[in-house]
Amino acid sequence: MTASAAFAQSVVLVRPPVSDKLLVEAFNRLRAELGLQAFEVVVVDPLVDPHYPEAIDELAQAKGAFAAISFARRADARSADVWIADRATGKTTVRTLALDDVPDAPSVLAVRTVDLLRESLRELAPGRPPPPDVARVDRRPIPEPVRAFARRERPPFRLRLSATALVELRDIGAGYGVGIALSRRLSERFTVGLGFAGPLLGASYAASTGTASIRQELGWAELGVTAARAGIFGVEGTLGLGVYHLAARSEVAPPLASRSDDVTSFSGSLGALFELDATDSVAAVAGVSAVLLTPRPGVAIGSERALFLEPLLRAELGIAVNF
């Protein structure tokens, strides 16, 4: 295994004294939990001085691991220290946890230790290296498995608000307006949601006898699938089904008379949404999708008419808020 790979997946665990049954059980449960997180666990013998912070950091460095963890019983025997050396941030943390009258204390100790390691790693700014003035930091790029372990679980709901354009590429042009979408995360990869864009104004049709101004609305249900995520960047594929509405009003020269009409079609779309996280809860988003309509709408003035060229393109640029 290369040093880079070891840093990506290794955690050093210091074996507690075999005489301390509670710490041994907590050690075994922690080892299992770290294994479930896809980390390789490297077990070493007890430290000569478990309260010496540099010792545990040196252990992580010697084993090429991104972290080392040690349990040590306090002198009063009713509490224990959890020592964590996190070489991704250069920080050594100690936390004292009470053990008396705690139901299933070994499990609680193991779970709290995992939480402490995760919180320590969350000091890492997404996409940025550790500060240059911090000592005892492994300055290799932070592996994605480590960042994924530290990443806060994304809230289940997302509200997207964006400037939206719907573009017909031949005779009608583009309509502009505001779009809004609300989605719910089903898992790390899949989301479902509802969206609406409109009124979209600015599209028009010009004939020899006059012009028609066009207003459009589009509503849809959407399935999203995360295609890729790396640090603060994400790409999601989208599939939508919905309803499209067009209303047109003509302005013509006499003896023709101006009139209004509208049409409704079913819509289907396929697209991509790109995200750039600003914080854990706010992201900039940009998206593009191809939209098909049936029946295919059109606009007519007198004997002249134009059927929409498909697919239409829907583009958006805005912000998303997770909550």
Side-chain angles (χ1 to χ4, degrees), residues 158-167 174-183 191 193-198 200 218-224 236-240 269-276 283-291 312-321:
R158 179 175 64 180
L159 181 65
R160 201 166 79 230
L161 184 66
S162 56
T164 301
L166 188 63
V167 185
Y176 303 95
V178 175
I180 188 169
L182 178 65
S183 61
T191 62
L194 298 172
F196 178 81
L200 303 173
L218 181 64
W220 66 94
E222 185 176 83
L223 172 67
E236 181 178 287
T238 60
L239 178 66
S269 64
L270 182 66
L273 188 68
F274 304 91
E275 301 180 21
L276 175 62
V285 294
V288 62
S289 57
V291 182
L312 279 66
L313 295 181
R314 178 171 62 86
E316 63 175 284
L317 179 65
I319 63 171
V321 178

Side-chain angles (χ1 to χ4, degrees), residues 132-263:
D133 57 339
V134 178
R136 301 204 308 268
V137 176
D138 191 315
R139 299 194 177 277
R140 287 171 289 178
I142 305 301
E144 182 55 30
V146 177
R147 289 195 180 276
F149 170 73
R151 190 176 295 130
R152 286 182 172 85
E153 184 177 356
R154 303 179 73 184
F157 293 98
R158 179 175 64 180
L159 181 65
R160 201 166 79 230
L161 184 66
S162 56
T164 301
L166 188 63
V167 185
E168 193 273 346
L169 296 173
R170 185 166 55 192
D171 299 308
I172 307 302
Y176 303 95
V178 175
I180 188 169
L182 178 65
S183 61
R184 191 189 194 290
R185 185 170 54 84
L186 301 179
S187 68
E188 284 300 315
R189 292 202 64 193
F190 295 97
T191 62
V192 293
L194 298 172
F196 178 81
L200 303 173
L201 307 175
S204 62
Y205 171 62
S208 60
T209 55
T211 61
S213 57
I214 296 170
R215 189 190 78 228
Q216 302 170 88
E217 292 93 18
L218 181 64
W220 66 94
E222 185 176 83
L223 172 67
V225 181
T226 299
R229 177 159 287 278
I232 61 175
F233 299 100
V235 181
E236 181 178 287
T238 60
L239 178 66
L241 294 173
V243 178
Y244 167 85
H245 178 255
L246 177 151
R249 178 175 176 78
S250 64
E251 296 290 339
V252 295
L256 297 176
S258 299
R259 59 170 297 185
S260 300
D261 205 350
D262 67 292
V263 63

